[in-house]
Amino acid sequence: MDHRENKDRRLLLWFFAVATAVKLLLIPSYRSTDFEVHRNWLAITHSLPLTRWYFDETSQWTLDYPPFFAYFERFLSVFARLVDPRIVDLQLGIDYGAESVIYFQRISVIVSDLCLLYGVYRLTRKLETMKRNLICALVIWSPGLLIVDHIHFQYNGFLLGWLLLSISFLQEGRDLLGGFLFAVLLCFKHLFAVAAPVYFVYLLRHYCWSVLVTGFRRLVTVGAVVVAVFVAAYGPFIYHGQIQQVISRMFPFGRGLCHAYWAPNFWVFYIILDKGLAFLLRKFGFDIQIPSASFTGGLVGNSSPFAVLPQITPLTTLALVLLAISPCLVKAWKKTHPGRVARWIAYAYTCGFLFGWHVHEKASLHFTIPLAIVAVQSVEDAKHYFLVSIVSCYSLFPLLYEPQEYPIKVLLLLLHSMVMWLGFTAQYADNKAQKKESGEIKSKFKIGCFEKCYLMGLFIVEMVSQFLHPYFLGDKYPFIPLMLISTYCTVGIMYSWIWQLRRILILT
């Protein structure tokens, strides 16, 4: 057993080493505005006292993550100052693009991915070798993480590592520690709260539901742990009377229903329907005022109104998300099983992605990474993951709009597809059914007709948006490629949502 564990650890480290080499090669690549966002947060947390962190407006990129992430930035700023003091200068550091800041921030993301490495290791250490290796490859070599964290720039790998650690403890029956880690994660990034109802129902049923005295004691213990975590995060701001300011920064509902880049979710259809109805009604002579604001306006600002359809409020999206999650919560209560936690969490994040308010396209990582764990549980789950991971990765393509990054994102997606195909084919090989004449082994992993047609459609959409549209229309209607990609990917994500729901309901 020890020999096998050591071998598996070495292989996991090899996966991580290869991924790190690729990440280092990507250091000079395109940087989004998020790069300056996080540099400014380094400056805010280093240059100002805690009482001014959530009030500072020196830059337009104000601090809007929960306190634990602000503490994390404060920790990084200590090392940033040693590398180059200008990085943490609140005034002189604005839009600072020297090699020192580029290398420091890029490498800080790479180092923080050690949390993801440990999360994957702990989650897979008791699995059989092939399943373990497949999950490691799917997560650590995730093209979505490479695109978002190491080109676009964010710290999703670090945060998803916390999520995987939490899931690993829940699967082992160590519910209290799993709940503690999830509470910590919420104080790093509040957008992970979409899975909070799943955690609440699961912990209440699996950990607290017992005889009266034991159940009450466990309920109080869980509550105390969660409260302690939130007090550690928000206590200083409550003490200084700033909690309202912190909350307003974390939940800026004025940003509007959709992000600057349309995430492929349900609201894409709603927006297109509104615009289509407005166009038709104007053709028939109705006085329909077309909103001057754009749903794809760059910098987040005021909510864009609809021309015909009813306005969507944050409470409406919250109600829809909870309604979509509710069948999963019922199932989690009736058929509580630690082995299904990852499936339920992935489904919750899919619901949040589809129906949430101001959803970023990058949030697809919240469900694709947990679904990698689910993918090794059955051949049906593998087929589903093969489709949804490709769709999720492709939906991130508009983030990298510069020509020099185009071969990179295409190559990452193609390599990921090959790894999945080879891995799932080997995982679900039918060793009993061999072709005598060639010696080849048949596999149960085969893509259905619908999936093949849909993936072929992705290729057509890419040809139209990337080549045909610029050739025939040039700079006219620049929103068409983005709208086409988002709309088509929405079909794939909604198919995934329905498939996941059906799968949850039929599992006994």
Side-chain angles (χ1 to χ4, degrees):
M1 181 63 70
D2 291 339
H3 174 72
R4 193 202 127 205
E5 285 186 2
N6 290 332
K7 183 179 178 180
D8 289 342
R9 287 174 187 169
R10 288 196 296 269
L11 187 58
L12 178 60
L13 289 174
W14 181 82
F15 281 133
F16 189 75
V18 172
T20 301
V22 174
K23 294 168 188 176
L24 290 172
L25 291 174
L26 293 175
I27 285 178
S29 60
Y30 159 80
R31 303 182 303 277
S32 71
T33 53
D34 279 344
F35 192 88
E36 171 60 18
V37 168
H38 286 277
R39 189 222 53 82
N40 188 57
W41 292 359
L42 290 172
I44 289 173
T45 55
H46 187 274
S47 304
L48 299 176
L50 178 144
T51 53
R52 293 177 57 191
W53 287 359
Y54 287 92
F55 286 89
D56 180 75
E57 295 182 350
T58 305
S59 167
Q60 60 184 336
W61 311 118
T62 53
L63 181 61
D64 59 6
Y65 270 29
F68 275 175
F69 201 91
Y71 302 154
F72 173 67
E73 294 279 8
R74 178 67 181 88
F75 171 75
L76 292 179
S77 71
V78 175
F79 302 97
R81 185 180 181 278
L82 297 176
V83 172
D84 185 345
R86 187 173 172 182
I87 297 175
V88 294
D89 191 297
L90 204 56
Q91 299 288 344
L92 299 178
I94 295 177
D95 294 326
Y96 187 41
E99 286 191 357
S100 58
V101 66
I102 294 172
Y103 276 88
F104 175 79
Q105 289 195 231
R106 292 289 197 196
I107 292 174
S108 72
V109 179
I110 295 173
V111 174
S112 70
D113 279 348
L114 288 170
C115 183
L116 179 68
L117 175 67
Y118 182 65
V120 173
Y121 162 72
R122 205 178 186 293
L123 188 68
T124 61
R125 61 180 180 169
K126 295 183 180 180
L127 295 178
E128 59 185 74
T129 301
M130 186 170 288
K131 289 184 177 180
R132 176 193 181 99
N133 294 340
L134 188 51
I135 291 176
C136 292
L138 295 178
V139 174
I140 294 177
W141 291 349
S142 166
L145 278 175
L146 289 171
I147 288 173
V148 174
D149 281 12
H150 303 281
I151 301 178
H152 182 82
F153 193 84
Q154 278 192 351
Y155 289 88
N156 289 286
F158 167 68
L159 298 171
L160 287 166
W162 280 96
L163 180 64
L164 296 184
L165 282 172
S166 174
I167 293 173
S168 72
F169 282 110
L170 293 182
Q171 290 185 344
E172 292 177 2
R174 302 173 68 179
D175 295 341
L176 190 60
L177 193 50
F180 164 76
L181 289 172
F182 182 69
V184 171
L185 177 62
L186 296 186
C187 294
F188 271 106
K189 190 172 183 179
H190 51 301
L191 299 182
F192 282 94
V194 177
V198 173
Y199 272 84
F200 176 78
V201 171
Y202 179 80
L203 291 176
L204 182 62
R205 180 62 169 169
H206 191 261
Y207 181 71
C208 301
W209 204 256
S210 183
V211 295
L212 182 60
V213 176
T214 303
F216 181 74
R217 175 176 56 82
R218 290 182 174 182
L219 181 62
V220 171
T221 303
V222 171
V225 167
V226 173
V227 169
V229 171
F230 277 80
V231 167
Y234 294 93
F237 303 96
I238 296 174
Y239 176 78
H240 291 289
Q242 298 179 347
I243 191 62
Q244 185 175 355
Q245 174 67 14
V246 175
I247 298 300
S248 66
R249 281 285 183 86
M250 288 169 51
F251 297 97
F253 292 118
R255 287 184 171 184
L257 179 63
C258 292
H259 188 238
Y261 292 117
W262 290 359
N265 63 12
F266 173 78
W267 303 117
V268 169
F269 294 145
Y270 195 83
I271 293 170
I272 292 175
L273 178 61
D274 180 77
K275 292 184 179 295
L277 289 174
F279 175 79
L280 290 175
L281 291 175
R282 284 172 65 89
K283 286 291 185 181
F284 284 107
F286 290 91
D287 184 19
I288 302 296
Q289 299 297 322
I290 302 296
S292 58
S294 170
F295 286 99
T296 57
L299 186 63
V300 290
N302 294 328
S303 305
S304 301
F306 293 96
V308 179
L309 297 178
Q311 305 301 316
I312 301 299
T313 65
L315 284 178
T316 303
T317 60
L318 175 61
L320 282 175
V321 170
L322 292 177
L323 181 63
I325 295 177
S326 58
C328 172
L329 301 181
V330 173
K331 193 72 173 182
W333 179 267
K334 290 183 176 180
K335 300 288 184 181
T336 304
H337 191 286
R340 304 220 175 105
V341 169
R343 186 185 299 275
W344 295 332
I345 290 172
Y347 174 76
Y349 285 129
T350 306
C351 294
F353 184 85
L354 275 176
F355 304 108
W357 176 269
H358 196 75
V359 175
H360 290 225
E361 63 292 314
K362 301 177 282 290
S364 63
L365 293 171
H366 293 181
F367 60 85
T368 53
I369 296 301
L371 280 175
I373 307 166
V374 178
V376 300
Q377 295 180 6
S378 72
V379 66
E380 290 79 13
D381 292 314
K383 293 176 184 177
H384 166 254
Y385 180 80
F386 183 82
L387 176 68
V388 73
S389 62
I390 291 176
V391 175
S392 171
C393 181
Y394 179 68
S395 71
L396 299 172
F397 273 27
L399 285 177
L400 310 182
Y401 52 83
E402 294 186 353
Q404 59 267 30
E405 269 72 46
Y406 186 76
I408 297 175
K409 61 187 181 183
V410 172
L411 184 60
L412 287 174
L413 179 55
L414 291 177
L415 289 174
H416 178 63
S417 301
M418 290 175 59
V419 168
M420 286 194 296
W421 183 269
L422 295 174
F424 289 140
T425 300
Q427 170 66 30
Y428 300 105
D430 187 357
N431 296 312
K432 295 181 181 180
Q434 297 188 13
K435 295 181 179 178
K436 295 181 180 180
E437 64 277 8
S438 63
E440 294 181 0
I441 299 177
K442 293 183 179 179
S443 177
K444 299 176 183 177
F445 178 74
K446 295 180 180 179
I447 303 301
C449 182
F450 170 80
E451 288 81 2
K452 289 179 181 177
C453 293
Y454 182 82
L455 293 175
M456 182 59 67
L458 280 182
F459 175 77
I460 296 172
V461 167
E462 179 64 9
M463 292 299 102
V464 171
S465 60
Q466 185 67 29
F467 301 106
L468 297 183
H469 176 269
Y471 181 79
F472 288 104
L473 296 178
D475 295 332
K476 290 184 177 180
Y477 312 113
F479 61 89
I480 288 180
L482 176 61
M483 184 179 68
L484 186 62
I485 292 172
S486 295
T487 305
Y488 195 78
C489 288
T490 299
V491 175
I493 301 296
M494 292 202 72
Y495 168 79
S496 169
W497 169 61
I498 295 171
W499 192 95
Q500 289 181 64
L501 176 59
R502 176 179 172 273
R503 188 72 175 162
I504 287 171
L505 294 178
I506 64 174
L507 285 175
T508 57

